[in-house]
Amino acid sequence: MSTAERVVFEHVTKRYAGTGAGNSGAVEDLSLEIPAGKVCVLVGPSGCGKTTSLKMVNRLIEPTSGRILIGDTDVAKQDVIELRRGIGYVIQQVGLFPHQTVGENVATVPRLLGWDESRRRARAQELLELVGLDPATYADRYPAALSGGERQRVGVARALAADPPVLLMDEPFGAVDPIVRERLQNELLDLQERLAKTILFVTHDIDEAIKMGDLVAVLQVGGHLAQFGTPDEILANPASDFVARFVGADRGLKRLALARVDALQLMPPVTATTGDDAAEAHRRALADPFPYLLLLDPMRRPIGWIAPRDLPAGGVLDESLATAMSPFLRRRTTLKDALAMLVEAEVQAGIVVDGRGAAIGLVTAEMIFEWARESRPPDPAGAAQGAR
Ligand SMILES: Nc1ncnc2c1ncn2[C@@H]1O[C@H](COP(=O)(O)OP(=O)(O)O)[C@@H](O)[C@H]1O
Ligand SMILES: [Mg+2]
């Protein structure tokens, strides 16, 4: 697999001939650097210059001023055919050739590169497998016989055929229904874990941007960069009213969907094991601000909660005393899912369990709210001062 390359926009401006009487262009003084192997999502309302920005990378459009580098090379100084072979390009209406089979479509670039027939077939098979399409079923079909989602996968396979270090994707999943779309998003993220390409991904959907991007560039009409940062930075500290409105009033909840239980300092529960002395357990439970006692089996797996009023003054603890349960969480559970479970829970504390099901700590809604208040990344502009 080839290595990925960084992509750099340096003061890039594009004014289309005939747009406005000298007023703002399609892209205005755009500067950003996308590190090699990262996904950068360009997001913003319709007409804010996303497609124009993307097409300047593979020179379907030439900038009015400024330059774009791939690695250290100015794309304007490269042969345009060579340049495009090093850049995969996926668009919404995939643009498959209708009279060619799926296999031939996928092998388009290898054919241009002069690979022989058997090598092309082998590469097409490998790529179809990569995007989750069984070559035996799909390689000899024609595009008309595919669903929208399948066509989109073929488009991705074709874009990856020459193993390009950079991939441009312009609203690639915009034309498929929401369920297929979510599956394609997840597949692309899985694929990216293995391929680590530099991907510029365009969407107008902020949720898709937050999900797909290592970095997100929010653009504003006129092609102005409103904010560039990680999804969490943008949700936690929107740089302007425009960004705040664009990410939505529920940005706090969206942040919770990005963070996981392992970001929290877990609360140690008061625990006891079946067979323990009841009076001693009672004393310990009452000494804790959260007076419920978590009863565990000898493997430290939770059996249930014993309410303070149910704790016997003497004797030993047994399973029948544990009358309430609460949701089990894993370290990988998102804080949003954790909160959703707590809203429904009988006891307001989620039990975090490890891979063997043993209890390792508790999470309460209050801890999640506290995280949301305390974990804001530093805000360079100081815009969030006094927000608490
Ligand atoms: N070929 C063109 N000629 C003139 N104006 C264009 C052309 N392509 C796009 N524009 C204008 O440039 C702006 C940015 O367009 P575009 O990059 O397609 O935005 P987006 O992809 O974010 O919707 C819009 O105002 C659009 O009308
Ligand atoms: Mg567009």
Side-chain angles (χ1 to χ4, degrees), residues 88-283:
Y89 187 43
V90 184
I91 55 175
Q92 186 178 113
Q93 307 301 344
V94 191
L96 298 179
F97 304 116
H99 303 301
Q100 291 181 10
T101 64
V102 164
E104 288 163 349
N105 265 285
V106 170
T108 302
V109 175
R111 190 166 53 247
L112 293 174
L113 293 173
W115 295 16
D116 66 43
E117 164 85 39
S118 67
R119 190 170 167 212
R120 290 203 305 263
R121 267 199 90 78
R123 181 65 177 150
Q125 296 213 348
E126 183 186 4
L127 287 158
L128 287 172
E129 270 163 24
L130 196 66
V131 298
L133 295 174
D134 174 23
T137 311
Y138 289 96
D140 296 322
R141 281 199 192 169
Y142 286 88
L146 303 179
S147 73
E150 289 163 347
R151 233 172 273 162
Q152 216 54 39
R153 288 192 188 91
V154 175
V156 172
R158 185 175 61 180
L160 290 170
D163 199 20
V166 173
L167 208 55
L168 308 177
M169 308 185 83
D170 195 345
E171 312 228 11
F173 310 142
V176 294
D177 69 68
I179 292 168
V180 175
R181 182 180 214 196
E182 194 182 345
R183 195 180 312 142
L184 292 171
Q185 290 169 343
N186 294 337
E187 286 173 8
L188 181 63
L189 289 173
D190 285 349
L191 201 59
Q192 172 65 355
E193 290 234 320
R194 284 179 283 155
L195 299 181
K197 301 289 180 190
T198 308
I199 301 181
L200 272 74
F201 186 111
V202 160
T203 179
H204 60 267
D205 175 354
I206 184 64
D207 292 313
E208 185 168 61
I210 289 164
K211 176 171 178 178
M212 302 305 289
D214 297 307
L215 292 166
V216 174
V218 184
L219 296 176
Q220 204 163 342
V221 172
H224 298 279
L225 182 61
Q227 192 166 3
F228 183 49
T230 64
D232 191 60
E233 282 163 358
I234 288 168
L235 292 172
N237 287 312
S240 65
D241 286 347
F242 167 76
V243 178
R245 272 198 310 276
F246 189 73
V247 299
D250 60 342
R251 66 172 193 264
L253 273 180
K254 286 175 174 156
R255 276 192 81 208
L256 294 184
L258 293 177
R260 297 179 189 279
V261 161
D262 61 11
L264 303 175
Q265 176 91 47
L266 300 184
M267 181 163 96
V270 181
T271 61
T273 307
T274 45
D276 280 2
D277 180 68
E280 191 273 336
H282 198 181
R283 267 195 305 281

Side-chain angles (χ1 to χ4, degrees), residues 16-19 25-27 44-53 61 170-171 202 219 221:
Y16 288 104
T19 37
V27 175
S46 175
C48 70
K50 304 181 295 292
T51 294
T52 301
S53 300
I61 294 173
D170 195 345
E171 312 228 11
V202 160
L219 296 176
V221 172

Side-chain angles (χ1 to χ4, degrees), residues 363-387:
V363 170
T364 64
E366 187 47 49
M367 286 162 65
I368 295 173
F369 298 146
E370 179 88 4
W371 175 90
R373 284 193 299 269
E374 302 297 333
S375 71
R376 287 153 159 270
D379 172 12
Q385 282 279 310

